[in-house]
Amino acid sequence: MLTDVTAFAPATVANVGIGFDILGHTVDAVGDRVRLRRIDEPVVRIRSITGIAGELPIEAMSNTAGRAVQALHAALRLDYGFEIDIDKGIPLASGMGGSAASAVAAVVAANALLEEPVPRLQLLKFAMEGEIVASGSAHIDNIAPCLIGGLVLTVGIDHPRVKQIPVPPSLRCVLVHPHMFLGTREARAVLKTDVTRSDFVWQSANLAGFISGCYSNDLDMIRDSFNDVIIEPQRHSLIPGFKDVQRGAMSAGALGCSISGAGPTIFAWAEIQHAEAVRGAMVAAFTLHGLQSDCWVSSLEAYGARVVKA
Ligand code: HSE
């Protein structure tokens, strides 16, 4: 019986431009690690938060990882508890799915400590409780890919259906994080609650085209449909230099470029031979706007959260 387990959960690009709140993919190059220890006392508590920790709450109730483990603990009526150490690798308020990664790593580690582990998809709803603490809304587009890996479509919230979508193997994701904070609540608050019929039609066509392009390895279809006509136009002014970063990526050969989750991180998809030029162009454009940045180039393979030490 294990008593001490560490799990890793990757960063995620939510929305992937055209799938607001329903589509997301992993970026395995960066992530959070969460260690859980079984304790006799039937409580959930956080012992430490290290790494790029900022001012994260140490009370389990208010912390995304703590709240997710509390949800699992209560649902399974466990008569023992957990002590948690969180090591943040994902910058806070970056649009890289940091709150989801901590919650997912925590429940994956907790599951490995159970006498009878629950099926992986059941962990979704526990992790979602953690995500609500962080962002104030129940969206699942970071959590689902973080848990199962790769490009993931989620349909439904209460009983979500989760579908892993194949991505052409020649594609890479370039992720560029400018050194600034943008809260998810703030980025959601700027969004209108209605859309025009014309925008609805374009966005539906683009989402359908994008997904069919992924299934059929049709890079032209992916490129032509990689265009968010609803959310990006309302949010891009929150990110200094967004248009220049996007133009730079597209000129360097990207198939598409948009806001990662709620921002300010910007992502692009590119064929492997263009990925380095795309990365350089995006970083240079941010620099021109006075922003330093971190960047990652990642495959889109389906590696989700996993136990790394037991
Ligand atoms: N889909 C969410 C949003 C993701 O764009 O607001 C937030 O991480």
Side-chain angles (χ1 to χ4, degrees):
M1 185 70 229
L2 296 174
T3 55
D4 188 340
V5 159
T6 302
F8 168 86
T12 41
V13 170
N15 306 334
V16 199
I18 28 64
F20 181 65
D21 276 0
I22 59 171
L23 201 60
H25 73 71
T26 42
V27 177
D28 206 61
V30 54
D32 287 356
R33 279 170 186 260
V34 178
R35 175 180 176 190
L36 256 72
R37 223 163 42 84
R38 242 177 95 149
I39 53 175
D40 291 337
E41 211 183 332
V43 295
V44 174
R45 64 171 171 254
I46 298 173
R47 188 172 65 169
S48 70
I49 309 178
T50 53
I52 315 169
E55 291 183 3
L56 288 175
I58 195 102
E59 307 77 37
M61 188 66 193
S62 325
N63 178 288
T64 162
R67 184 73 199 93
V69 177
Q70 279 183 335
L72 173 146
H73 188 263
L76 303 179
R77 297 165 197 251
L78 301 177
D79 60 1
Y80 54 89
F82 299 106
E83 193 166 66
I84 306 175
D85 296 298
I86 302 166
D87 185 13
K88 294 290 300 176
I90 302 175
L92 302 183
S94 63
M96 292 168 57
S99 52
S102 292
V104 169
V107 294
V108 166
N111 203 33
L113 293 174
L114 300 177
E115 271 115 42
E116 291 174 38
V118 301
R120 189 157 259 248
L121 280 183
Q122 263 189 37
L123 298 176
L124 271 181
K125 67 171 190 285
F126 303 133
M128 234 165 99
E129 293 290 322
E131 179 74 305
I132 293 170
V133 170
S135 70
S137 64
H139 54 266
I140 202 167
D141 50 344
N142 291 111
I143 289 170
C146 186
L147 187 64
I148 69 170
L151 177 65
V152 174
L153 173 72
T154 312
V155 178
I157 287 278
D158 292 334
H159 303 285
R161 282 184 174 278
V162 172
K163 189 83 186 162
Q164 216 169 37
I165 297 166
V167 178
S170 63
L171 295 184
R172 295 291 177 271
C173 172
V174 181
L175 196 62
V176 182
H177 166 241
H179 292 178
M180 62 174 278
F181 297 101
L182 178 55
T184 301
R185 282 174 212 258
E186 183 193 339
R188 289 180 88 82
V190 303
L191 300 176
K192 289 185 290 198
T193 50
D194 50 4
V195 296
T196 63
R197 185 167 64 185
S198 153
D199 282 351
F200 170 76
V201 172
W202 275 114
Q203 195 86 344
S204 306
N206 287 343
L207 178 59
F210 184 84
I211 290 179
S212 72
C214 284
Y215 272 105
S216 56
N217 213 349
D218 182 342
L219 300 190
D220 286 336
M221 178 62 116
I222 294 175
R223 182 186 291 109
D224 288 350
S225 50
F226 214 130
N227 183 19
D228 168 17
V229 298
I230 295 179
I231 306 297
E232 184 190 295
Q234 299 181 69
R235 276 182 171 168
H236 73 74
S237 58
L238 299 172
I239 307 169
F242 173 82
K243 282 288 175 192
D244 288 334
V245 175
Q246 187 182 51
R247 251 191 303 273
M250 298 310 288
S251 309
L255 267 69
C257 173
S258 189
I259 303 168
S260 173
T265 296
I266 302 181
F267 79 101
W269 277 21
E271 287 181 90
I272 187 167
Q273 67 272 25
H274 299 307
E276 200 46 43
V278 168
R279 185 194 65 75
M282 293 170 75
V283 169
F286 267 133
T287 307
L288 278 179
H289 285 267
L291 282 167
Q292 295 305 304
S293 55
D294 300 311
C295 53
W296 299 268
V297 175
S298 181
S299 81
L300 290 146
E301 281 172 295
Y303 298 124
R306 59 220 178 241
V307 168
V308 287
K309 195 167 164 215

